[in-house]
């Protein structure tokens, strides 16, 4: 429901706190359509005929209710969508619907009734009225009604006014008309880097966080600063790497849009290694969510592969601590990319814990084990893998547990020595070695699904 809870001064003035107040203090379109109050504050309307016409967009009925010279500068009462617990006396709580205030213009704009919006504006509805904290322009942008946005802007609505949460209309553009609404706002003077009052987010932060590639592209073309920081030190690139899958979007689609956003921001000059207040970098977040393609993109930009956040976690730690959903993103590719760019190996004592957590991803375990010259697992580690996983990946786990505390193949030992020798320049040196492709892939820890 558009609008938020009204202020006590509005409620007290218009709901009959003064017993001697005349009846027309509450507006009645049938009895006094042309009457205008001598005070600047809007009238409170309880007429259900008017409200029904507004919600359904009944223009013919509204033309009757708002004849020429009448005013549409009104307040409407509505109830919150969900009941809330409230206490009017000490110790006495009740579940009630809180009353909220809105205006006819808010209702029409939020529902895309453009003809009604234009009628109300002609009847002197104030485009920047915000009894509940949002203007009608906020409502139109949040629902993606482009024609309503245009009508309000033409009527003088402020494209930079913050709502009750400190967000400007450009922060709220949603729905099918997102791009068109944003273009209109920018054309009418919206600040492309206007910040929200509390979080200090720019519209580019919001577009990146929501995975909206087209909107981010529009904002960057209009001059948005790619390295703007919010109150927590987050840049749009950090926000893009932290974008999460929300139904009905699939994990694959989310990862693809995140990759597009990162490429777009990096091409616009975004710092690939910018850290937030907790020293988390884009690489940390991409690893945490298992976005292997973004990990490889960031590594190709020369980011610090072993940089730690305030908790002492490197990107490799994040890759191995990701949620179960990260399995769908093939975490072994992110882990291999990190090792091929010089990531420091994890402490061998932590390997049993990693085995237990990632046993359903044997290729992740394979990459980890291939960075050591000896498989450093206790003999009882076989009990960490459930029997059904052992059976499903029998060939790999048989080779793993057969090599516990046993010497590895000479070929693998040679690989370990060469990688250790090239450690300082590993990502560049491996690509430059004049070796057959198969041997080069072996040096780059390519997957074989078995350990030798």
């Amino acid at each position: 429901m558009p609008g938020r809870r009204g202020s006590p001064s509005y409620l007290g003035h218009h709901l009959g706190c003064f017993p001697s107040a005349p009846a027309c203090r509450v507006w009645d379109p049938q009895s006094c359509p042309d009457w205008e109050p001598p005070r600047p504050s809007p009238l409170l309307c309880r007429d259900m005929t008017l409200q029904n016409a507004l919600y359904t967009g009944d223009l013919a009925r509204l033309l009757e209710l708002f004849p020429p010279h009448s005013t549409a500068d009104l307040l409407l009462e509505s109830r919150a969508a969900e009941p809330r617990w409230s206490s009017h006396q000490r110790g006495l709580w009740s579940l009630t619907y809180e009353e909220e205030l809105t205006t006819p213009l808010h209702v029409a704009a939020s529902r895309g009734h453009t003809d009604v919006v234009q009628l109300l504006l002609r009847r002197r509805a104030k485009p920047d009225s915000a009894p509940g904290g949002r203007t009608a322009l906020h409502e139109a942008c949040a629902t993606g009604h482009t024609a309503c946005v245009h009508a309000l802007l033409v009527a003088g609505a402020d494209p930079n006014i913050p709502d009750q949460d400190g967000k400007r209309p450009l922060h709220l553009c949603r729905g099918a008309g997102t791009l068109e609404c944003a273009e209109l706002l920018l054309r009418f003077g919206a600040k492309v880097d206007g910040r929200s009052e509390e979080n200090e987010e720019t519209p580019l932060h919001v577009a990146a966080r929501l995975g909206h590639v087209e909107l981010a592209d529009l904002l960057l073309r209009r001059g948005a600063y790619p390295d703007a920081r919010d109150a927590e030190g987050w840049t749009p690139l950090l926000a893009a790497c932290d974008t999460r899958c929300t139904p009905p979007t699939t994990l694959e689609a989310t990862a693809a849009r995140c990759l597009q956003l990162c490429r777009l921001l990096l091409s616009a000059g975004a710092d690939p290694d910018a850290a937030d207040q907790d020293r988390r970098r884009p690489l940390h977040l991409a690893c945490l969510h298992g976005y292997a393609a973004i990990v490889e993109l960031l590594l190709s930009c020369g980011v610090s592969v072993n940089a730690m956040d305030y908790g002492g976690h490197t990107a490799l730690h994040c890759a191995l601590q990701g949620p179960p959903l990260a399995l769908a993103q093939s975490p072994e590719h992110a882990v291999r990319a990190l090792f091929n760019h010089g990531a420091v190996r994890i402490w061998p004592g932590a390997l049993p814990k990693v085995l237990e957590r990632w046993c359903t991803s044997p290729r992740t375990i394979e990459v980890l084990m291939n960075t050591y010259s000896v498989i450093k697992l206790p003999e009882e580690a076989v009990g960490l893998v459930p029997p059904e996983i052992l059976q499903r990946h029998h060939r790999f786990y048989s080779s793993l547990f057969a090599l516990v505390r046993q010497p590895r193949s000479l070929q693998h030992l040679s690989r370990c020595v060469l990688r250790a020798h090239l450690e300082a320049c590993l990502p560049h040196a491996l690509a430059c070695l004049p070796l057959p492709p198969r041997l080069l892939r072996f040096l780059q820890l390519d997957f074989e699904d078995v350990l030798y």
Side-chain angles (χ1 to χ4, degrees):
M1 186 66 65
R4 296 297 175 94
R5 191 174 182 179
S7 65
S9 60
Y10 270 167
L11 293 175
H13 190 66
H14 295 294
L15 293 182
C17 286
F18 305 97
S20 60
C24 279
R25 277 250 202 258
V26 176
W27 184 78
D28 181 355
Q30 302 298 333
S31 61
C32 49
D34 297 325
W35 181 77
E36 292 186 35
R39 61 185 187 282
S41 55
L43 295 170
L44 180 69
C45 174
R46 298 195 185 102
D47 186 83
M48 294 308 299
T49 302
L50 171 63
Q51 296 199 30
N52 289 335
L54 286 168
Y55 281 98
T56 59
D58 189 345
L59 182 62
R61 185 61 177 140
L62 289 168
L63 283 168
E64 296 175 5
L65 295 173
F66 289 107
H69 309 297
S70 63
T71 179
D73 185 20
L74 307 172
L75 290 176
L76 304 177
E77 278 184 322
S78 60
R79 286 184 172 182
E82 299 292 336
R84 299 171 184 150
W85 287 101
S86 59
S87 176
H88 302 286
Q89 298 179 13
R90 179 177 294 181
L92 182 62
W93 289 80
S94 61
L95 191 61
T96 59
Y97 286 90
E98 288 190 2
E99 298 296 333
E100 298 182 343
L101 291 180
T102 186
T103 72
L105 193 60
H106 284 74
V107 174
S110 66
R111 281 158 178 76
H113 302 321
T114 309
D115 292 340
V116 176
V117 168
Q118 293 170 338
L119 170 65
L120 297 172
L121 290 169
R122 291 197 301 270
R123 297 297 186 263
R124 289 170 291 173
K126 295 179 181 177
D128 286 336
S129 177
R134 275 188 175 187
T135 66
L137 184 59
H138 287 104
E139 299 290 351
C141 290
T143 46
H145 294 306
T146 308
C148 291
V149 169
H150 183 260
L152 290 163
L153 290 169
V154 169
D158 186 350
N160 291 302
I161 192 169
D163 66 4
Q164 77 279 2
D165 296 322
K167 296 179 180 178
R168 305 169 192 269
L170 196 53
H171 290 96
L172 300 176
C173 291
R174 301 286 190 279
T178 295
L179 283 180
E180 293 80 3
C181 290
E183 287 177 342
L184 282 169
L185 290 169
L186 293 168
R187 189 193 312 166
F188 279 82
K191 297 176 181 177
V192 70
D193 282 327
R195 295 177 178 271
S196 59
E197 292 183 346
E198 183 176 351
N199 298 326
E200 298 183 19
E201 282 189 325
T202 66
L204 187 58
H205 280 98
V206 177
R209 176 162 43 82
L210 297 178
H212 204 311
V213 181
E214 296 80 7
L215 179 57
D217 182 47
L218 170 65
L219 295 170
L220 288 168
R221 284 190 282 107
R222 296 299 179 90
Y225 181 45
D227 278 332
R229 292 183 178 272
D230 66 10
E232 296 183 356
W234 278 54
T235 64
L237 183 60
L238 280 163
C241 291
D242 195 46
T243 302
R244 304 171 192 200
C245 178
T246 54
T249 307
T250 64
L251 285 169
E252 293 77 10
T254 300
R257 292 188 74 82
C258 290
L259 179 60
Q260 284 182 279
L261 270 167
C262 290
R263 284 175 173 162
L264 179 66
L265 290 164
L266 290 169
S267 66
D271 183 355
D273 221 12
D276 68 1
Q277 292 179 353
D278 294 325
R279 294 185 181 174
R280 287 175 298 186
R281 301 166 188 258
L283 187 61
H284 289 102
L285 297 174
C287 287
L288 187 64
H289 296 295
Y291 295 151
I294 297 177
V295 170
E296 293 175 355
L297 174 64
L298 294 170
L299 290 170
S300 70
C301 295
V303 297
S304 305
V305 68
N306 291 311
M308 294 184 181
D309 62 14
Y310 265 130
H313 300 114
T314 66
L316 181 60
H317 292 131
C318 291
L320 297 175
Q321 292 174 356
L325 282 176
L327 273 173
Q329 299 297 324
S330 302
E332 67 270 16
H333 294 288
V335 173
R336 184 181 67 173
L338 291 170
F339 280 128
N340 284 333
H341 283 78
V344 175
R345 297 175 299 178
I346 64 173
W347 175 55
L351 288 174
K353 186 175 180 180
V354 175
L355 173 64
E356 184 177 16
R357 179 177 177 82
W358 293 102
C359 61
T360 55
S361 176
R363 284 189 165 185
T364 301
I365 306 301
E366 178 187 348
V367 172
L368 287 170
M369 296 305 172
N370 278 338
T371 61
Y372 300 91
S373 57
V374 175
I375 294 179
K376 301 179 179 182
L377 283 174
E379 293 182 0
E380 60 271 16
V382 64
L384 299 174
V385 184
E388 63 273 15
I389 303 300
L390 286 173
Q391 185 176 3
R392 188 187 311 164
H393 304 288
H394 175 73
R395 181 169 179 260
F396 172 77
Y397 281 113
S398 295
S399 68
L400 170 64
F401 294 119
L403 288 173
V404 171
R405 306 293 179 181
Q406 298 296 319
R408 298 288 300 271
S409 68
L410 181 60
Q411 186 180 26
H412 171 71
L413 295 175
S414 301
R415 172 170 61 182
C416 290
V417 171
L418 183 56
R419 286 178 63 91
H421 180 71
L422 299 174
E423 185 175 7
C425 55
L426 188 62
H428 307 291
L430 286 180
C432 296
L433 290 176
L435 298 172
R438 184 175 179 181
L439 184 55
L440 184 60
R441 289 195 300 270
F442 178 77
L443 288 173
Q444 292 173 328
L445 305 176
D446 199 15
F447 307 112
E448 298 179 271
D449 301 314
V450 67
L451 295 174
Y452 300 104

